[in-house]
Amino acid sequence: MPADDHDQEEARRLFAKELKELRADVIRLAALVTEAIAGGTQALLDADLNAAERVVEKDSEIDELAYAIEDHCFVLIARQHPVATDLRTLLAVLRIGHELERSGDLMKSVVKATRQLYPHSIDPKLRGIIARMGEQAAEETRLAIDAFADDDPSRAAALFDMDDVMDDLTKSLFRYIMTREGPVDEGRLLESVQLSLVGRHYERIADHAVNVADRVVFVATGLHGAGDSEAFSPGADS
């Protein structure tokens, strides 16, 4: 084998190895984020200040991994000059890392509401809605990253129906806050404001999961807009 061909083959092998490591880091980042969603939601519902603080502290690990993924992408782009699917993969990983890091930041904001509400208990109806929103946010994030791990744009498309569920939960939360009966005191006003913000944070986490799904479709097809049915057509560019 000519030396140039051997060098190219070796460079390709090393690139594939680093790309595999990069994808593993993204999956690990998503696992940290889903843990933050579950732990942060429970801390809020339990009014557990210690658990809330652990979620805040853990966010630094999410940030550091997200920055490491970004740096690794830049190095590979500069060193390997990837094209076609390889380039789309690296660009997608850059975006996915950012989306996941933002979801981690949003959960940090969620658990900060624990401090604001303490020691007040949350209205039982609101507790139920918040619990479901936390579960939905975690499930959408898991589904998005599973689609990424398996290079499965069809699975990514399921995020759109699921995101409607989060939209409905957000509407239910706001509707109940605005229409519930009873005296309006300082504690209730605080609860209404803080949980309205919490609801918005969960809605944004779901939006970030949809953006991850959009990147999965982009890698597989080269098309933007995961909701576009053309992205899943057999003749789509790969």
Side-chain angles (χ1 to χ4, degrees):
M1 178 185 295
D4 287 347
D5 289 347
H6 176 77
D7 290 345
Q8 290 178 6
E9 184 178 321
E10 180 64 13
R12 180 65 191 174
R13 186 188 67 79
L14 291 174
F15 177 72
K17 178 176 180 292
E18 290 196 74
L19 196 57
K20 183 178 180 180
E21 293 172 354
L22 193 57
R23 291 174 66 90
D25 282 343
V26 172
I27 293 168
R28 184 159 63 92
L29 178 62
L32 291 174
V33 172
T34 53
E35 287 173 10
I37 295 171
T41 301
Q42 200 60 52
L44 176 65
L45 295 175
D46 294 343
D48 188 335
L49 297 181
N50 291 328
E53 186 60 31
R54 286 194 294 272
V55 173
V56 172
E57 293 173 353
K58 193 78 170 177
D59 186 63
S60 62
E61 184 177 349
I62 292 173
D63 290 343
E64 289 172 6
L65 182 54
Y67 299 150
I69 289 169
E70 182 178 282
D71 290 343
H72 198 174
C73 283
F74 288 146
V75 168
L76 287 179
I77 290 171
R79 182 192 301 158
Q80 299 289 345
H81 307 293
V83 296
T85 301
D86 289 339
L87 178 58
R88 292 202 298 266
T89 298
L90 287 175
L91 295 176
V93 166
L94 277 170
R95 179 67 179 270
I96 291 170
H98 171 73
E99 301 291 348
L100 292 171
E101 188 268 335
R102 287 297 300 126
S103 290
D105 287 344
L106 287 165
M107 279 313 302
K108 186 166 65 172
S109 296
V110 167
V111 297
K112 286 180 178 178
T114 306
R115 302 171 184 167
Q116 298 295 326
L117 291 169
Y118 188 84
H120 302 287
S121 60
I122 299 175
D123 176 280
K125 175 73 171 182
L126 291 174
R127 283 180 59 87
I129 298 174
I130 292 296
R132 291 170 62 197
M133 294 183 85
E135 292 168 358
Q136 185 69 20
E139 181 61 22
E140 290 192 34
T141 301
R142 277 192 293 267
L143 178 60
I145 210 63
D146 285 348
F148 168 78
D150 295 337
D151 293 318
D152 188 346
S154 296
R155 186 183 300 182
L159 263 292
F160 296 95
D161 289 338
M162 290 182 69
D163 201 45
D164 289 340
V165 174
M166 181 62 85
D167 290 341
D168 289 342
L169 287 170
T170 304
K171 291 174 185 176
S172 295
L173 177 71
F174 290 160
R175 186 181 301 113
Y176 183 75
I177 287 173
M178 295 297 294
T179 62
R180 59 178 168 163
E181 299 178 352
V184 180
D185 55 19
E186 183 177 349
R188 177 163 160 176
L189 285 173
L190 177 65
E191 178 187 68
S192 296
V193 170
Q194 289 297 320
L195 293 185
S196 293
L197 291 172
V198 164
R200 179 57 178 156
H201 295 328
Y202 281 123
E203 185 181 30
R204 289 296 299 135
I205 291 170
D207 290 341
H208 288 304
V210 171
N211 290 341
V212 171
D214 182 80
R215 297 298 91 191
V216 173
V217 173
F218 173 69
V219 171
T221 68
L223 299 176
H224 291 282
D228 187 346
S229 61
E230 292 182 4
F232 307 100
S233 65
D237 174 39
S238 60

